[in-house]
Amino acid sequence: MLHHTRGLVLRQTRYGETSLIVRIYTEAFGVQAYMVNGARSARSRTRSVLFQPPNLLDLVVYYTEGREIHRIKEARPLHVYERIPFHVSHSSVAIFMTEVLGKCLRDEHRQEGLFQFLEQRLLELDTCDQGLGTFPALFLLGLSRHLGFQPQGRFGEQTPWFDLQEGIFVSSKPDSGYALLPEESAALDRLLQHEATLPETSNQPSTALLPDPEPLLIPGPLRQSLLESLLIYYRYHIEGFGIMRSPAILHEVLSKER
């Protein structure tokens, strides 16, 4: 049966001489795999570049429940990026985002409002000209809210530690030792409060990702350690999350960003 849906490309894999198998997070069906025959041939009307991560697509697809690989009838760009494919800093953040999503989103994992959130963050990334240094951490915090394990509580004199296992600000360093230092916890709290003010969908009034970046200026070494700690936090809450490859490159690219 044919269905219309929007989708975010997570990964493409070559199949045979000219075809692709593409994993797409769809608004209607969650993560699905699609065979795209001849996408890499010279005469293809559906070129492989269309299915590069993290493209946002408008799709008409065939869907049969229980089938492992589906087919696409029609595909066209939902948005045409202006910076992500051409600026190394923006593309590095986009690669990080898609690697995270590939580890978090399971087959047919459809979460209400998640596609709109991802679409909005990618559009913000594509237009962002400041604050890229804190973008990855802000993205992780927003995504954790949609996946059901957003950090809880607030940083303060009585709760200066963030417990990575329990996901909450606490009064003393937990016995497990898996906690953010007070300096990291304070930075996390600032990012959490800012992330809560960001628009969730592109239908909301457009605002800059960091309209007032001064309160969010975080020194590079602290920013890196906070991002690494957030990835540890994800490993506690997402089974099989494992180790990521993109953060090392991301740190190198964003080391001079504000």
Side-chain angles (χ1 to χ4, degrees), residues 230-248:
L230 284 174
L231 292 174
I232 293 172
Y233 180 62
Y234 264 67
R235 289 201 288 274
Y236 280 131
H237 292 84
I238 299 291
E239 184 178 357
F241 187 83
I243 303 298
M244 291 184 54
R245 295 177 295 177
S246 58

Side-chain angles (χ1 to χ4, degrees), residues 130-146:
Q130 61 178 350
L132 272 179
T134 54
F135 196 108
L138 285 168
F139 170 72
L140 290 178
L141 293 175
L143 181 61
S144 72
R145 173 163 40 83
H146 282 274

Side-chain angles (χ1 to χ4, degrees), residues 152 154-164 167-174 177-186 188:
Q152 299 297 307
R154 292 292 309 272
F155 172 85
E157 292 185 3
Q158 302 302 315
T159 52
W161 299 83
F162 181 74
D163 187 325
L164 287 167
I168 190 169
F169 290 90
V170 294
S171 59
S172 60
K173 186 176 181 179
Y178 299 117
L180 298 187
L181 297 172
E183 184 182 21
E184 292 177 311
S185 299
L188 174 65

Side-chain angles (χ1 to χ4, degrees), residues 36-94:
V36 186
N37 293 114
R40 294 162 41 232
S41 66
R43 297 182 180 181
S44 173
R45 296 171 60 185
T46 308
R47 301 304 299 272
S48 61
V49 68
L50 183 64
F51 298 101
Q52 288 283 350
N55 282 352
L56 292 160
L57 302 176
D58 188 53
L59 300 165
V60 177
V61 300
Y62 295 96
Y63 177 77
T64 301
E65 187 174 356
R67 179 170 292 179
E68 292 186 3
I69 300 179
H70 304 270
R71 294 190 179 271
I72 297 174
K73 184 175 187 294
E74 299 175 15
R76 63 173 183 265
L78 189 60
H79 302 283
V80 178
Y81 296 132
E82 296 181 2
R83 297 188 181 187
I84 289 175
F86 310 110
H87 294 244
V88 65
S89 55
H90 292 71
S91 63
S92 297
V93 175

